[in-house]
Amino acid sequence: MEPRARPSADPATGLIACDWPVSWSLDIPKAWVSGLFLAVFTSDDGFRSYTPFVVRDTSRRSDVLLVVPFTTYQAYNLWPFDGSVGKNLYKGFTPDGKVGGNEERAFRVSFDRPYAHDGIPSWFDMDTSAARWAEKAGYDITYASSVDLHDGTIDVSRYTTVIFSGHDEYWSTNMRDWAEDAVAAGTHLAFLGSNNIYFHIRVEASDDGRDGRVVTCYKQDEDPEPGPGGPTERWRTLGKKHRKAEHGLLGVQYNGMVAKPVPLVVRESDHWFWAGTGLRDNDGIPELVAVEADGFDPSMPRPENATQTLLSSSPYSDSMGRGRRTQNTSLCENGEGTLVFVAGTFHWPLALNMPEHLNPQIQRATGNLMNRMLEQRSQ
């Protein structure tokens, strides 16, 4: 197969989309189970690249649905990483070939392009670690992508618990509505990372009319077409008095970049969540708080009709020069017994299965959470 032409960026939005003809496709065999898969491509000269994909099974109910954050994958995808054309929602290249910042970034990014470098999306290991742990634990689990939540493919009533396994930062109005409807219907939510539901996005059609192919987010720039959901900016700045802040669903929200990994400091050690871990108040789980952290903010809206337990209180230094911050792991339970859990750190899902991060105490605590969630509906 001949190399395909590299597209140029749209001068107004920075959108880079490959209008290449289909050269290979895969019909998913009926015998395949729902899961997170990785396609491996090897060129004639030995270069290997990857593309992750999810196989759904919407025909049956499952105890657990694991949602993989493809909208966030695309937001960080700096393809082509060529010193010239490539852009994502954070940066692009300066005229001298260096990676720039906001001045060079795109406002729209397309799924119609490879992932940069070897094809593994940013922080993909958070999702694979959580998935491997859940499957080893024997949970009845199926999979979906964040785009599936957006387009209505997934029926909220078919699952007891929904796991958001990784870095799930970019959410459309439809996605947010889906999560709120899930809680209202009695479906538990578990966010195993941090910096969740941070940027409001639109998921739009490609230029040739295919739905769900473009992620749009203008952030601090003026959004020329806000639409019914409002402008594509931070959720916490939408509406008056932060009324749409992610804190209102999650109970905590992103509060900083962690300069270097620090211990997660345990609180409420007599809570069922920590049962069997051997942990006591003020014990530290080494290097568990890392990369980005969430924390409780009393000035923000809180989940309605819910009791909140902060399961950690971990001081850390912010790498952006914003001083000392505190990370909190949070568990909210509403009056109907529906749980919303937020780990509040990137290293939590890694501690479930990645050999260099593996922590039996986090495995046990997360198992306690899952078992509690799966018991609630039958009581």
Side-chain angles (χ1 to χ4, degrees):
M1 184 180 73
E2 293 296 322
R4 303 302 185 192
R6 185 173 298 171
S8 58
D10 180 270
T13 67
L15 180 71
I16 299 168
C18 302
D19 59 350
W20 300 338
V22 175
S23 56
W24 179 82
S25 62
L26 171 67
D27 291 326
I28 303 299
K30 292 183 178 180
W32 282 27
V33 298
S34 178
L36 174 57
F37 291 82
L38 199 63
V40 183
F41 302 95
T42 305
S43 65
D44 291 339
D45 59 1
F47 177 77
R48 177 169 287 184
S49 184
Y50 309 89
T51 297
F53 65 97
V54 161
V55 172
R56 300 184 302 262
D57 185 357
T58 56
S59 64
R60 75 171 184 89
R61 297 179 182 273
S62 63
D63 288 341
V64 180
L65 177 73
L66 189 147
V67 178
V68 184
F70 278 83
T71 52
T72 300
Y73 289 167
Q74 205 52 253
Y76 283 86
N77 180 17
L78 189 56
W79 186 93
F81 198 85
D82 59 355
S84 176
V85 175
K87 294 179 184 292
N88 63 18
L89 293 182
Y90 292 87
K91 58 192 70 173
F93 292 99
T94 61
D96 60 358
K98 296 180 180 179
V99 176
N102 283 333
E103 293 297 318
E104 290 77 31
R105 76 177 184 92
F107 301 125
R108 306 178 76 221
V109 290
S110 173
F111 284 104
D112 293 330
R113 56 183 184 146
Y115 289 102
H117 307 298
D118 61 1
I120 301 294
S122 174
W123 290 104
F124 184 63
D125 53 358
M126 295 172 71
D127 302 294
T128 57
S129 181
R132 286 171 175 146
W133 171 80
E135 293 190 5
K136 286 179 181 178
Y139 296 116
D140 173 30
I141 187 169
T142 54
Y143 292 77
S145 77
S146 50
V147 178
D148 296 324
L149 300 194
H150 169 82
D151 66 18
T153 299
I154 304 301
D155 179 355
V156 65
S157 69
R158 301 182 73 84
Y159 311 97
T160 304
T161 299
V162 179
I163 296 176
F164 298 91
S165 53
H167 185 198
D168 215 328
E169 183 178 356
Y170 286 80
W171 281 54
S172 69
T173 296
N174 287 2
M175 293 165 62
R176 175 73 176 265
D177 289 347
W178 189 97
E180 292 178 347
D181 289 347
V183 174
T187 300
H188 310 292
L189 307 181
F191 293 82
L192 299 185
S194 57
N195 195 14
N196 305 289
I197 319 181
Y198 186 60
F199 280 114
H200 176 229
I201 62 171
R202 289 193 298 275
V203 180
E204 299 177 315
S206 60
D207 288 346
D208 60 4
R210 288 172 294 121
D211 289 336
R213 302 309 300 169
V214 174
V215 175
T216 298
C217 190
Y218 279 81
K219 298 184 178 179
Q220 72 277 4
D221 290 270
E222 183 178 357
D223 187 339
E225 299 179 77
T232 52
E233 58 190 32
R234 291 172 180 83
W235 275 98
R236 65 188 65 173
T237 62
L238 283 171
K240 296 180 179 179
K241 298 182 178 179
H242 310 292
R243 65 183 180 88
K244 293 187 178 181
E246 61 272 33
H247 204 283
L249 171 64
L250 303 175
V252 290
Q253 63 187 28
Y254 166 77
N255 69 359
M257 304 285 293
V258 183
K260 63 178 181 179
V262 298
L264 182 136
V265 180
V266 172
R267 284 182 55 173
E268 307 292 342
S269 59
D270 58 349
H271 194 278
W272 57 258
F273 180 85
W274 295 119
T277 63
L279 294 164
R280 298 291 180 264
D281 282 5
N282 299 316
D283 283 351
I285 304 175
E287 298 191 345
L288 189 60
V289 176
V291 188
E292 296 180 350
D294 293 344
F296 174 74
D297 186 339
S299 71
M300 289 290 173
R302 305 185 191 186
E304 295 182 3
N305 185 33
T307 299
Q308 182 173 27
T309 304
L310 297 179
L311 297 162
S312 72
S313 182
S314 316
Y316 71 92
S317 295
D318 177 69
S319 65
M320 304 296 287
R322 294 171 290 196
R324 298 286 283 176
R325 300 292 175 100
T326 299
Q327 177 273 348
N328 299 117
T329 298
S330 172
L331 181 68
C332 293
E333 181 174 0
N334 70 15
E336 288 71 46
T338 305
L339 302 173
V340 176
F341 171 78
V342 183
T345 169
F346 271 37
H347 277 190
W348 191 287
L350 302 184
L352 293 174
N353 194 75
M354 293 284 287
E356 60 269 37
H357 294 279
L358 195 65
N359 187 287
Q361 293 165 321
I362 294 302
Q363 290 178 315
R364 177 59 185 267
T366 311
N368 291 342
L369 173 71
M370 294 301 299
N371 294 338
R372 185 72 169 223
M373 286 179 162
L374 295 177
E375 289 173 359
Q376 288 292 324
R377 185 163 285 181
S378 63
Q379 292 180 348

